[in-house]
């Protein structure tokens, strides 16, 4: 099940971030991220020492990343010289069975939902029009990948992150999706678990720093 969730996450991530489709390799996928500090990312759905060796041996460009759905302690012995596990970037692969909950926006805020280029954007604004919270997703048939959920610091602890997540889920269900997938930070994991999301694997992030 984890390799399937990883493949869904990759497909949704590139749509959400408006990047070119992932390139398939024998060991997994390569995503053109296009940032100076994150040139690209290899994602291995079912990694082992051999597949990590194959993926890393194809890399010559510094700041190329490698994402593995395992714990950091599992990934580190597989890494060759010039590669390090970045514990600050390491996260969690999470999934849930989606259901509609019809959330209500708190007083003093308004919620908007917009769609463009295959991405659904949920934004919560305060009474002055300032952005208080946001999130987005890419629906891929029966699954959706939720991405970039953020609550601005001045508006935290008011349920806005939950509002964004539940609004996204409602719209995904209305489009026929029943499975949600996301990659979470440590802080995000705590929120998502209160909403019924389950951690399915670690996401060890490793980087080429020769």
């Amino acid at each position: 099940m984890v390799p399937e969730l990883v493949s869904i996450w990759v497909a949704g991530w590139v749509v959400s971030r408006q990047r070119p489709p992932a390139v398939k390799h024998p060991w997994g996928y390569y995503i053109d991220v296009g940032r100076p500090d994150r040139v690209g990312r290899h994602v291995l759905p079912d990694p082992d020492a051999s597949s990590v060796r194959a993926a890393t041996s194809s890399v010559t460009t510094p700041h190329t990343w490698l994402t593995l759905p395992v714990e950091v302690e599992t990934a580190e012995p597989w890494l060759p010289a010039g590669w390090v596990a970045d514990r600050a970037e390491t996260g969690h692969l999470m999934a849930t069975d989606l259901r509609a909950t019809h959330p209500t926006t708190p007083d003093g805020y308004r919620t908007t939902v917009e769609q463009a280029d295959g991405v659904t954007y949920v934004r919560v604004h305060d009474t002055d029009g300032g952005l208080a919270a946001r999130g987005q997703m890419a629906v891929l048939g029966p699954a959706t990948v939720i991405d970039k959920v953020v609550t601005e610091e001045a508006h935290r602890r008011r349920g806005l992150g939950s509002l964004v997540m539940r609004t996204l889920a409602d719209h995904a269900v209305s489009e026929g999706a029943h499975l949600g997938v996301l990659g979470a930070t440590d802080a995000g994991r705590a929120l998502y678990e209160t909403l019924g999301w389950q951690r399915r694997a670690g996401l060890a992030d490793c980087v080429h720093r020769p």
Side-chain angles (χ1 to χ4, degrees), residues 28-77:
Y29 303 95
Y30 176 75
I31 300 170
D32 176 8
V33 180
R35 288 169 37 186
D37 62 338
R38 199 176 294 263
V39 176
R41 179 200 296 265
H42 287 278
V43 184
L44 280 59
D46 191 15
D48 56 19
S50 176
S51 59
V52 169
R53 185 164 55 249
T56 55
S57 67
S58 74
V59 174
T60 58
T61 306
H63 304 297
T64 298
W65 289 71
L66 179 74
T67 299
L68 310 173
V70 297
E71 307 306 322
V72 171
E73 293 78 9
T74 301
E76 285 180 321

Side-chain angles (χ1 to χ4, degrees), residues 95-155:
T96 193
D97 294 324
L98 297 170
R99 60 187 180 91
T101 59
H102 311 292
T104 301
T105 303
D107 291 342
Y109 295 96
R110 62 182 178 87
T111 303
T112 62
V113 181
E114 298 177 352
Q115 293 181 305
D117 300 320
V119 185
T120 300
Y121 300 90
V122 170
R123 299 181 179 93
V124 181
H125 294 84
D126 62 19
T127 53
D128 295 324
L131 184 62
R134 59 182 169 85
Q136 61 196 62
M137 68 179 178
V139 176
L140 309 168
T144 190
V145 175
I146 292 180
D147 188 27
K148 300 182 77 170
V149 176
V150 177
T151 301
E152 300 300 324
E153 188 168 357
H155 299 276

